[in-house]
Amino acid sequence: MFRVTLQPPKSIVESLKAEPAILLLTLAVYLLVGTLYAVETPEWQVPDEPAHYNYVRQIAEGDLPEIELGDYDQQRLEALLDNDFPPDQSIQWIEYEDHQPPLYYLISSPMYMLSGGSLIAQRVFSLVVGAITILFAYLLLVELFPNRPLILAFALGLVSLIPQHVAMMAGVNNDSLAEVIVVASLYLAMRLIRSESPPSPFVYCLVLTMAFLTKVQSFVVAPVFLAAIITRYLQNSHTRKWLTKWLLYVFGISIMIAALWWARNIATYGGTDLLGLGKHDVVVTGQPTTEYWIRTYGLSSTLERFATFTFQSFWGMFGWMAVPMSPRVYQVLAIASSVILSATALWFLDEVRSKRLFRGENALIWLLLLSLAITSAGYLWWNISYVQHQGRYLYPALVPIAVFVGIGFESLFEMRTAKKVAAVMAILTLVTVVMRSRFMSVSLALSVLVIYALPRVPSRWRRLISYSVTMALGAFAAAALIWFVIPNLG
């Protein structure tokens, strides 16, 4: 079972030496497959890529972008999408991301200037930034799960090699930097809770400042750091002076720095529009709203689409959410997800029943849950206003998701858990037989056999399985590019 103990964490060098083969293999597969996505995905066929690219271009040209009327035109954009962005049609007018904080675009602009504005160069730059996420995820995972390669490889593979995630990391957008910052904050929060000598509060201030200046989704860093500071204060009986110092250094300084950008937004957009979101809502007139969808299609149909599209686009729905994978691929993914999430739920219920989850040493579990809950709430809030059923908006919580499903995956190698999950899948098999769904019936029956077989795998083979998981996820991402992206967008 998953335990977090209050002991000094390893140094970064020690962590890197813990399971170097898994880290190097994952990075190599990610960079190889990601480079293929960067090169083979047609121009502008990553969601919002033209708008992000134009932000970088404006920075490189010496301008600080301002979102204005005309930066978004639904009909003109749809015409470009319908015609696969014909080369004789300019995309320079697409600038509806100009309200975004500037950090990603500032650090991207040197690559723009060095490469002469090469789109592929910009994509590879984002891909390399995304590789830093893998590094921080690895550092966090080896601390949480020492000598447990099944969890490490499975969780790290999910963070790195989900096809849609690779496609986004290999596109021009600020998601890659936002994810680096969020995962780094989780690692730093872990060190603050567990280490006798945590990093300086100025390190946490730097990361929080970067979060404020990168993307709204990265603001989750603030409550994570606040929870970590309070947890350390309570567990170590620090003085109020210590608490005040940390809160002032981490939050006071970062807010003062970020306030310069927010003040600029107020001066530019007026009112209390700190983030430029009010002006953004005015500019993107014509974007489908949730209210319109419910009025037109009904609440149940809208909720059904929300659930279906969220799941499918989390795994892979390419282009501008216009190129899905085969229905059978989603069916297999749904079965695999059901199996692992069932095992995770059993682990969670066992932890709650035994009250282990509420012990002080499990504070990190609650930090991960907090990060996941806030990101999920933000996704729901965004979809209350606009139809944005895109699972990629959950990627800032990809590490917490990977941790919990990694626990579920490892627990399937325990006979007690395997029997319970296999029983659930067997019942679903019978249901699909009655419904005469042959593919689902066969797939579910095979899943039952696999679940029963896992606990019987000799322990000496389990490390090999951990490497096989990484290779399988990489092959899946590459196959999605070859089978779905290139034929439909090329």
Side-chain angles (χ1 to χ4, degrees):
M1 291 297 175
F2 177 32
R3 297 286 181 272
V4 178
T5 56
L6 290 173
Q7 59 185 6
K10 303 180 184 71
S11 68
I12 291 179
V13 173
E14 290 174 327
S15 295
L16 290 173
K17 291 179 178 179
E19 292 285 352
I22 290 178
L23 173 62
L24 293 175
L25 177 63
T26 305
L27 280 172
V29 175
Y30 164 81
L31 290 172
L32 174 61
V33 177
T35 300
L36 291 175
Y37 271 86
V39 173
E40 296 296 336
T41 302
E43 289 186 346
W44 320 123
Q45 288 291 1
V46 180
D48 305 319
E49 187 173 54
H52 289 291
Y53 176 88
N54 283 328
Y55 197 137
V56 177
R57 173 183 56 77
Q58 292 173 85
I59 291 288
E61 293 173 352
D63 296 327
L64 188 60
E66 172 187 343
I67 190 167
E68 300 172 309
L69 292 174
D71 287 350
Y72 180 89
D73 186 315
Q74 181 74 20
Q75 291 184 339
R76 288 180 71 186
L77 185 57
E78 287 182 353
L80 290 174
L81 289 168
D82 291 341
N83 292 283
D84 297 325
F85 289 95
D88 61 331
Q89 296 291 315
S90 173
I91 54 92
Q92 287 202 1
W93 62 271
I94 305 175
E95 297 180 345
Y96 56 84
E97 297 289 355
D98 283 357
H99 67 292
Q100 294 276 6
L103 185 57
Y104 166 80
Y105 310 98
L106 286 169
I107 66 173
S108 298
S109 58
M111 176 60 73
Y112 179 96
M113 291 183 283
L114 288 171
S115 67
S118 166
L119 177 61
I120 291 179
Q122 289 298 119
R123 286 176 169 181
V124 171
F125 175 81
S126 289
L127 183 73
V128 172
V129 172
I132 305 174
T133 297
I134 299 173
L135 177 60
F136 276 111
Y138 169 84
L139 293 173
L140 179 64
L141 288 165
V142 295
E143 288 291 339
L144 296 180
F145 308 109
N147 303 314
R148 296 168 78 172
L150 279 174
I151 296 182
L152 175 60
F154 189 82
L156 201 62
L158 279 182
V159 170
S160 314
L161 297 169
I162 292 173
Q164 184 68 40
H165 189 240
V166 177
M168 293 306 302
M169 292 299 98
V172 181
N173 55 68
N174 55 1
D175 292 9
S176 56
L177 182 60
E179 288 188 35
V180 169
I181 292 167
V182 172
V183 178
S185 75
L186 292 172
Y187 175 69
L188 287 170
M190 179 274 298
R191 295 193 69 87
L192 182 58
I193 291 174
R194 297 180 60 190
S195 176
E196 293 182 2
S197 301
S200 163
F202 292 108
V203 174
Y204 295 80
C205 172
L206 173 63
V207 172
L208 182 57
T209 302
M210 292 175 66
F212 287 149
L213 296 177
T214 297
K215 193 170 186 174
V216 171
Q217 281 86 345
S218 61
F219 285 18
V220 68
V221 170
V224 167
F225 278 174
L226 179 61
I229 292 170
I230 293 175
T231 299
R232 184 178 179 88
Y233 168 73
L234 295 174
Q235 289 185 343
N236 293 271
S237 300
H238 283 295
T239 64
R240 290 186 179 178
K241 181 179 179 181
W242 179 94
L243 178 62
T244 302
K245 168 190 168 184
W246 270 80
L247 291 176
L248 286 176
Y249 283 5
V250 176
F251 289 91
I253 297 175
S254 60
I255 288 173
M256 284 193 298
I257 296 172
L260 297 174
W261 173 252
W262 298 334
R264 176 263 181 188
N265 286 342
I266 290 175
T268 303
Y269 304 124
T272 58
D273 199 2
L274 289 175
L275 306 176
L277 294 176
K279 186 61 178 289
H280 172 268
D281 289 346
V282 173
V283 169
V284 298
T285 301
Q287 187 173 339
T289 65
T290 301
E291 179 185 3
Y292 169 80
W293 271 68
I294 293 175
R295 212 170 48 239
T296 305
Y297 304 107
L299 178 60
S300 61
S301 178
T302 301
L303 290 175
E304 180 181 356
R305 185 188 189 275
F306 171 79
T308 301
F309 265 64
T310 296
F311 177 80
Q312 292 181 349
S313 59
F314 180 88
W315 289 102
M317 187 173 286
F318 305 104
W320 290 53
M321 301 294 114
V323 178
M325 295 187 288
S326 164
R328 289 190 172 181
V329 172
Y330 294 124
Q331 289 171 348
V332 171
L333 289 170
I335 292 171
S337 300
S338 299
V339 168
I340 295 175
L341 290 177
S342 296
T344 302
L346 289 172
W347 165 83
F348 193 84
L349 289 173
D350 185 59
E351 293 291 297
V352 170
R353 275 197 300 265
S354 64
K355 298 184 180 179
R356 287 189 293 262
L357 197 62
F358 304 101
R359 295 174 183 171
E361 65 265 24
N362 286 324
L364 286 176
I365 296 179
W366 292 102
L367 277 183
L368 293 170
L369 286 171
L370 175 65
S371 180
L372 174 58
I374 292 174
T375 300
S376 301
Y379 178 58
L380 292 173
W381 173 82
W382 182 238
N383 275 281
I384 288 174
S385 300
Y386 295 101
V387 179
Q388 291 289 333
H389 306 163
Q390 300 182 37
R392 66 187 177 96
Y393 292 131
L394 295 173
Y395 288 159
L398 200 51
V399 167
I401 292 170
V403 165
F404 291 115
V405 299
I407 292 170
F409 178 69
E410 186 194 55
S411 66
L412 286 171
F413 288 80
E414 300 173 3
M415 184 61 72
R416 185 178 60 135
T417 301
K419 285 182 177 180
K420 292 178 180 178
V421 175
V424 173
M425 294 300 111
I427 293 171
L428 291 177
T429 302
L430 294 176
V431 171
T432 55
V433 169
V434 172
M435 296 174 62
R436 297 183 178 180
S437 177
R438 181 179 300 176
F439 180 79
M440 287 293 288
S441 299
V442 172
S443 300
L444 283 163
L446 288 173
S447 75
V448 173
L449 294 176
V450 171
I451 295 167
Y452 268 117
L454 288 178
R456 296 170 173 81
V457 174
S459 58
R460 65 180 181 277
W461 289 5
R462 294 184 183 182
R463 181 172 292 274
L464 178 61
I465 289 177
S466 68
Y467 294 113
S468 300
V469 167
T470 302
M471 296 302 294
L473 285 167
F476 175 39
L481 173 68
I482 295 169
W483 293 344
F484 304 114
V485 176
I486 294 174
N488 291 285
L489 295 175

